[in-house]
Amino acid sequence: MDRQPSRVDFAAIGHQDNWDQVVQFINAVRDPTLSTLGIEQIQEIFAWIPPRVIFRVIARSIQANTVAQGVYIETFIPPEQLASPQLSGMLRKVKQAAACAERIGARVASLGGFTSIVLEGNTNLLASEGITAFTTGNTLTSVLIAKGVEKACAIHGLDLQHCQLLIIGSTGDIGSACTRYFTGKVQTLLLNARKVKGLTEQGQAIVNEGQACEYSTDLSQLLPRADVVISVASTAAPLFNMDQCMPHTLICDAGYPKNILAEHQLQWERIWHGGMGQVQGGFHFEPKEASSFYQFPLPNIGHGCVLESMLLAWENLYESFSSGRGLITPQRIELMWSIAQKHGIQVSPFFNHHGLWSSQKIASDAGAR
Amino acid sequence: MEALTSTPHQHTQQYWDLVTDVLSQAITGELIGMSNFASLVATIDDPEEMMEAVEHADSERGHAVGFIKLAEKYKLQVKVNLKANYWRRVRESFLKWAEKKDFIACLLIQEVMLESFAVGMYREVGKAFPNDIGQLFTDIAAEEEGHLEHSIELLKAEMERNPEAFIQKVEMVHKDCMTILAEWSAKKDGKGHCEICKGNCMKESLYLADLEMSSLRGNSMALYLDALDRIGLPGEKTLPWIANLPA
């Protein structure tokens, strides 16, 4: 029988940031008649599994007849390895995952979370045979963060022009994109990063543009003054305590893994997982059990980095849209935003560990009616 | 026993008991491989492939002889038992498919599943064991890798011919044979003593050679999955197979 191999328009390469999620997924794919595997049993084997496609994604744009077929490639990087200073193991897995994307003929692949951080955005490090264009996915993530901040401010009646906006991890690829985007749009930019040199250079450049800006590697000096916080630091686990924030402060935690220590956050309606988008046309997974691997409070929600390759596939734009570091300009953000809107990717309704914001629940219930 | 340089453990009887048990497992495994390749001949029509199978059987025999000679050199009393718990069941699973003259299934068991375990484990043992013992494991791992590579090309063509039927067959063979290998390589013997180790299970003393069962097993499984990937089996199909194996 002559068979057509299934088309792969896009791939999303990712990793898990906690073992609970891994345990849930492995047991979901395991035969239900067998006993459930515990975390220790799964840890014995997980890291040894080579990167592979673990489910297919069929995604529909709101543009007529525009459907993209994609795959999710799990790197099987153990969550604790994200904190390891030894990057070679992680880099090897990312390269294997990229080879997997090429092997299956994916036309564009995005690099989620640490898989692009470990490359420092340098997609050229991935030995490509020219089949797959690799994109970090950072442009769409930046778009969804920036537009999300504007939307959250509108919901809470904050005027950005009179706000002090703190960006944690401001010198990273997404952090610097947000910094550039909000330059000229806020009262004061407060910038925080780990390395003094990069931070100083960035801060000076912003000041030279006439934007009020203060910067420090000491977060505690900036937090008490921030009206809005964007956290996009590359932390292997939640690290930042928001106790010093003012009661009205809005916090966008766009880390992957998350940056903010959840137990210290009392204002649940003021913190959200940023950089997330909702696909209006919808997407589904094959096999269905895979949905347990990627669950959010509402359907059709995904990380910006994951959605970027989907979007590029809909747009027939098979290129490394996001590559390198510090190259995401406000113009690129607006271009990506217009493509996203054309295909029906919106800022996700706001949610955090506790679930949807109540205002979003009301909107979602109304939409359902 | 010849004096060897290195760690304090190497001067203990426990350490040499471990080396003996590992050699016993390796010799038994190689002889099972030899028998399997010999049985494979009956499933082949192509004369060249037939001769190649005999050659592979002889190669496995050669590996067994190499390990036996090492054991003799170090005066280690190895135990060879082709009827032992796990190895017997591996052989039976192979024979079941050989009786059906199913060359592809036999190839999967011998050249993909068993060779993945041989390469994965020998490589690690080769690095951990001293002098000519380690070297022999390393050399044989390289040769077994050749068998694995040889089968991948053949099976790739089979996968392209009829993917659905092929995937179904691999799944059946996987359940048959990999379940046994997973039980054998689990941290603890789920199905009883292996009937090859002299005293307690050798897994308990692997630390003496800086070896870990999870790493030996993990490396082997990684090679196996990598082989399945290269043959062209979809990763989303093979992941549940691994998740279903005894832990």
Side-chain angles (χ1 to χ4, degrees), chain A residues 264-328:
Chain A
H264 292 281
Q265 185 56 41
L266 299 173
Q267 303 287 327
W268 288 109
E269 296 290 307
R270 290 183 173 270
I271 182 169
W272 78 97
H273 292 177
M276 309 297 293
Q278 190 172 37
V279 179
Q280 285 178 294
F283 60 76
H284 70 271
F285 298 146
E286 286 175 2
K288 279 181 193 152
E289 310 90 76
S291 56
S292 68
F293 209 43
Y294 205 63
Q295 274 184 334
F296 298 103
L298 288 173
N300 305 320
I301 288 177
H303 290 85
C305 52
V306 171
L307 300 182
E308 183 170 300
S309 55
M310 184 188 286
L311 187 57
L312 293 175
W314 283 333
E315 188 65 7
N316 276 312
L317 205 56
Y318 296 107
E319 62 177 52
S320 300
F321 194 97
S322 312
S323 187
R325 188 170 165 172
L327 303 175
I328 304 172

Side-chain angles (χ1 to χ4, degrees), chain B residues 3-11 15-16 128-131 208:
Chain B
L4 294 166
T5 51
S6 55
T7 68
H9 288 314
Q10 285 179 18
H11 302 289
Y15 179 86
W16 289 98
F129 280 180
N131 305 344
L208 296 169

Side-chain angles (χ1 to χ4, degrees), chain B residues 23-117:
Chain B
L23 281 170
S24 300
Q25 295 281 358
I27 295 164
T28 306
E30 293 295 342
L31 291 176
I32 291 284
M34 178 194 77
S35 313
N36 287 350
F37 275 119
S39 309
L40 193 61
V41 176
T43 71
I44 302 171
D45 295 325
D46 178 49
E48 275 193 28
E49 282 288 335
M50 208 184 263
M51 286 189 281
E52 204 164 338
V54 173
E55 208 177 293
H56 283 186
D58 190 51
S59 152
E60 305 292 306
R61 184 197 63 83
H63 297 162
V65 169
F67 288 132
I68 290 168
K69 280 186 178 165
L70 258 189
E72 285 168 357
K73 179 181 171 187
Y74 289 99
K75 298 187 172 47
L76 304 172
Q77 298 293 311
V78 290
K79 183 176 174 186
V80 178
N81 178 8
L82 301 186
K83 302 283 178 204
N85 189 351
Y86 301 93
W87 286 114
R88 173 184 48 78
R89 287 164 55 212
V90 168
R91 175 76 178 135
E92 282 168 359
S93 119
F94 182 91
L95 284 175
K96 188 181 97 181
W97 294 96
E99 277 162 18
K100 293 182 197 166
K101 288 194 175 294
D102 193 328
F103 172 66
I104 295 299
C106 290
L107 209 60
L108 281 162
I109 294 178
Q110 181 56 40
E111 299 217 43
V112 178
M113 297 170 188
L114 287 170
E115 300 298 26
S116 292
F117 271 78

Side-chain angles (χ1 to χ4, degrees), chain A residues 148-257:
Chain A
V149 164
E150 289 171 346
K151 191 175 165 185
C153 286
I155 290 172
H156 283 279
L158 279 181
D159 180 359
L160 263 172
Q161 283 188 322
H162 296 103
C163 282
Q164 305 214 58
L165 170 66
L166 167 62
I167 300 176
I168 304 172
S170 66
T171 55
D173 194 32
I174 298 171
S176 59
C178 292
T179 302
R180 274 188 291 274
Y181 180 84
F182 284 106
T183 298
K185 292 188 173 81
V186 295
Q187 186 190 72
T188 310
L189 271 173
L190 306 171
L191 306 179
N192 167 260
R194 276 175 290 199
K195 292 180 183 162
V196 179
K197 188 171 176 280
L199 180 63
T200 307
E201 285 171 2
Q202 183 186 42
Q204 287 298 334
I206 299 295
V207 169
N208 290 344
E209 285 184 43
Q211 166 71 61
C213 174
E214 290 173 37
Y215 47 91
S216 173
T217 53
D218 181 0
L219 188 58
S220 65
Q221 288 188 6
L222 306 174
L223 265 179
R225 295 165 50 200
D227 299 297
V228 182
V229 177
I230 295 173
S231 192
V232 280
S234 308
T235 64
L239 193 67
F240 305 121
N241 183 339
M242 295 285 117
D243 280 355
Q244 284 182 287
C245 285
M246 293 182 278
H248 73 266
T249 305
L250 289 174
I251 301 163
C252 168
D253 184 356
Y256 174 16

Side-chain angles (χ1 to χ4, degrees), chain A residues 1 3 25-26 29-31 34 37 41 44-45 48-56 71 76 103 286-287, chain B residues 124 161 163-164 187 214-215 217-219 221-222 225-226 229 234-236 238-240 242-245 247:
Chain A
M1 191 171 64
R3 296 178 59 86
F25 173 70
I26 295 292
V29 297
R30 191 168 152 88
D31 183 338
L34 298 169
L37 292 178
Q41 290 166 306
E44 284 283 309
I45 189 69
W48 301 100
I49 300 175
R52 59 197 40 252
V53 170
I54 58 170
F55 56 83
R56 293 186 178 261
V71 294
F76 292 93
R103 194 170 54 235
E286 286 175 2
Chain B
E124 291 238 335
R161 218 180 340 267
E164 274 173 40
K187 236 178 181 176
S214 58
S215 167
R217 183 188 218 236
N219 268 317
M221 290 283 188
L225 280 171
D226 183 60
D229 290 348
E236 70 268 38
T238 54
L239 181 65
I242 294 296
N244 287 341
L245 288 175

